[in-house]
Amino acid sequence: MPAPTCASCGSARAALRRPRSGQALCGSCFCAAFEAEVLHTVLAGRLLPPGAVVAVGASGGKDSTVLAHVLRALAPRLDISLHLVAVDEGISGYRDAALAAVRRQAALWELPLTVVSYADLFGGWTMDAVARSTAGSGRSRSCCTFCGVLRRRALEEGARLVGATHIVTGHNADDMAETVLMNFLRGDAGRLARAGGLGSAGEGGALPRCRPLHLASQKEVVLYAHFRRLHYFSEECVYAPEAFRGHARDLLKLLEAARPSAVLDLVHSAERLALAPAAKPPRPGACSRCGALASRELCQACALLDGLNRGRPLLAIGKGRRGLREEPPACAPPAAAPTPAPAPPPPTTCAQQNDLRSRSVTCAYQTSIGM
Amino acid sequence: MAAPLCVEVEFGGGAELLFDGVKKQQVTFSGQEGPWDIQNLLVWIKKNLLKKQPELFIQGDSMRPGILVLINDSDWEQLGELDYQLWDQDSILFISTLHGG
């Protein structure tokens, strides 16, 4: 059967049908509609005010490529300036190729690019070094836990370096829906309390972050890149494990096949979620070392790096999560009097909320939405 | 005997990794084995082109969810999906969406 005619321009052959409206559009009109929707998301949510200096987390992948391209098109209308920030985790054979893609994009779009590296920021701890350090521990997949936390910190540092007022990342609706499912499946009240946020307002002095593509379906992100002829890097990270997110993703795909609106409905449900008062996480304090948001003495990034530097990479990982100060002494003194058992500590609410109590690991490439 | 059918298959978004990195190739079917629809094309691809891990490309009789199919730059959902009858010189593009970005 021949494809219908575009409902918008009426002349070209329709290339696709929008899932929500059922409207048949040609490639060009679809791209225009996609851009208009991102514009609406930003304006309605007041995500990027006029004059904002926006650091775009750029990985060379499909989402950040589309994000940068769309924001560049919208920049005059929004009166914002853009600066690409790429993070070099030090994964040989993988990140180099991705960074090459980002450099090409920066040159093509004439956008300034700053690359920040784990090696420089974290005292030589590249992901390859972290992987070697955790390799003998029997939990080699936990290297991805490090990457998620450190990447977030690195992006913050890069954004500050370029004088940014806001950070944007390319998380799409599918990413958000997967994260919502993961948080429910793991009973993570702390994240669920934040899972609905369009972005973080910048607690504890952190730069405000938002995800302008969070209402765009993954399929439409890929189609936009196709019709705009955008080139991106599409290989999986060499350390990507069979992360828990994979299960959430498979479940989401099944749900989507049965009910196409399930992806966006999940995102909207999370936005409207309110937690019972008893379930809300306590107000966080500041890391004693770096001042970032933390519910323990050390924020997650500092705790992880300390473990690495002490030659005990898993110190801040795993069930119980005995931190550095809380390590029991060699001979525990007998309890003088019975004391009530303390409540289990809430998950760290540092810049990146990775739930370290869970045995599962969130892949670096698929950072959870955190705050 | 019907005229031979020549189509171009293309793989993108990471799907090319399942085909030894080959992004584009011409495929010719002789008329006797027809009629050729996408369903038959998938069977043919699985048998002749897929170098590894077929379950990452095909699930059952159809595409693995998350791999888009564009026929002459149009979403296959509009054209009948598996039942679309191939024409000579058609271009079929398979784009994977299944990776981080």
Side-chain angles (χ1 to χ4, degrees), chain A residues 58-92:
Chain A
S59 65
K62 64 189 192 325
D63 299 306
S64 58
T65 297
V66 166
L67 174 68
H69 188 265
V70 171
L71 284 183
R72 182 172 171 269
L74 299 177
R77 168 75 174 78
L78 291 170
D79 188 23
I80 59 175
S81 60
L82 300 175
H83 201 121
L84 298 180
V85 176
V87 176
D88 180 3
E89 307 97 335
I91 302 173
S92 46

Side-chain angles (χ1 to χ4, degrees), chain A residues 2-18 21-33 227, chain B residues 73-74 78:
Chain A
T5 316
C6 176
S8 179
C9 64
S11 49
R13 189 186 48 156
L16 54 88
R17 198 171 283 276
R18 305 293 311 276
S21 60
Q23 199 188 24
L25 294 177
C26 68
S28 181
C29 292
F30 159 69
C31 289
F227 288 114
Chain B
D73 246 17
S74 286
Q78 294 206 106

Side-chain angles (χ1 to χ4, degrees), chain A residues 194-221:
Chain A
R194 295 176 170 78
L198 284 171
S200 75
E203 294 169 295
L207 286 175
R209 284 178 191 242
C210 64
R211 300 154 197 105
L213 300 183
H214 80 282
L215 295 175
S217 77
Q218 181 150 260
K219 173 174 174 177
E220 298 208 313
V221 169

Side-chain angles (χ1 to χ4, degrees), chain A residues 1-4 13-17 24-25 59-65 170 218-220 222-223 226-227 229 232-236 249-250 253-254 365-366, chain B residues 10 12-17 23 59 64-81 83-85 93 95-101:
Chain A
M1 68 186 90
R13 189 186 48 156
L16 54 88
R17 198 171 283 276
L25 294 177
S59 65
K62 64 189 192 325
D63 299 306
S64 58
T65 297
Q218 181 150 260
K219 173 174 174 177
E220 298 208 313
V222 172
L223 287 175
H226 171 76
F227 288 114
R229 307 281 179 250
Y232 55 86
F233 182 72
S234 53
E235 289 187 25
E236 277 268 290
R249 177 170 293 172
D250 292 342
K253 285 288 164 222
L254 288 174
Y365 216 9
Q366 304 156 335
Chain B
E10 203 180 337
E16 66 273 23
L17 297 172
K23 290 199 159 184
Q59 202 179 76
R64 181 184 177 205
I67 301 193
L68 310 181
V69 184
L70 292 181
I71 303 169
N72 302 325
D73 246 17
S74 286
D75 191 348
W76 76 333
E77 284 175 8
Q78 294 206 106
L79 301 169
E81 294 195 14
D83 298 326
Y84 172 81
Q85 301 287 321
L93 166 61
I95 319 180
S96 171
T97 67
L98 302 165
H99 52 78

Side-chain angles (χ1 to χ4, degrees), chain A residues 178-179 181-182 185 244-253:
Chain A
E178 286 165 14
T179 300
L181 280 178
M182 286 164 65
L185 292 170
F244 185 58
R245 183 172 286 268
H247 297 296
R249 177 170 293 172
D250 292 342
L251 177 58
L252 189 68
K253 285 288 164 222

Side-chain angles (χ1 to χ4, degrees), chain A residues 81-296:
Chain A
S81 60
L82 300 175
H83 201 121
L84 298 180
V85 176
V87 176
D88 180 3
E89 307 97 335
I91 302 173
S92 46
Y94 165 72
R95 186 45 78 191
D96 324 289
L99 280 179
V102 181
R103 289 187 214 277
R104 274 195 301 270
Q105 288 167 0
L108 182 66
W109 297 333
E110 293 172 327
L111 288 176
L113 165 66
T114 297
V115 181
V116 286
S117 73
Y118 280 15
D120 290 338
L121 288 172
F122 307 125
W125 282 107
T126 62
M127 274 317 296
D128 284 345
V130 173
R132 282 193 293 271
S133 176
T134 56
S137 63
R139 292 194 59 179
S140 55
R141 291 195 217 143
S142 55
C143 68
C144 297
T145 299
F146 288 84
C147 201
V149 175
L150 297 179
R151 175 202 296 251
R152 206 175 175 89
R153 175 59 56 87
L155 193 53
E156 179 94 19
E157 292 299 315
R160 287 195 189 282
L161 263 177
V162 306
T165 56
H166 294 74
I167 297 177
V168 295
T169 54
H171 294 89
N172 58 51
D174 293 55
D175 296 327
M176 309 294 280
E178 286 165 14
T179 300
V180 172
L181 280 178
M182 286 164 65
N183 291 340
F184 269 111
L185 292 170
R186 297 199 285 209
D188 193 330
R191 286 201 176 93
L192 281 174
R194 295 176 170 78
L198 284 171
S200 75
E203 294 169 295
L207 286 175
R209 284 178 191 242
C210 64
R211 300 154 197 105
L213 300 183
H214 80 282
L215 295 175
S217 77
Q218 181 150 260
K219 173 174 174 177
E220 298 208 313
V221 169
V222 172
L223 287 175
Y224 180 90
H226 171 76
F227 288 114
R228 286 286 193 233
R229 307 281 179 250
L230 303 179
H231 294 287
Y232 55 86
F233 182 72
S234 53
E235 289 187 25
E236 277 268 290
C237 175
V238 299
Y239 292 116
E242 256 185 50
F244 185 58
R245 183 172 286 268
H247 297 296
R249 177 170 293 172
D250 292 342
L251 177 58
L252 189 68
K253 285 288 164 222
L254 288 174
L255 289 170
E256 196 183 13
R259 189 165 185 275
S261 62
V263 175
L264 276 167
D265 290 342
L266 263 171
V267 179
H268 289 310
S269 296
E271 281 173 352
R272 296 176 189 128
L273 199 62
L275 291 192
K280 285 188 185 155
R283 287 179 58 80
C287 173
S288 62
R289 198 164 295 182
C290 71
L293 209 64
S295 65
R296 299 182 146 230

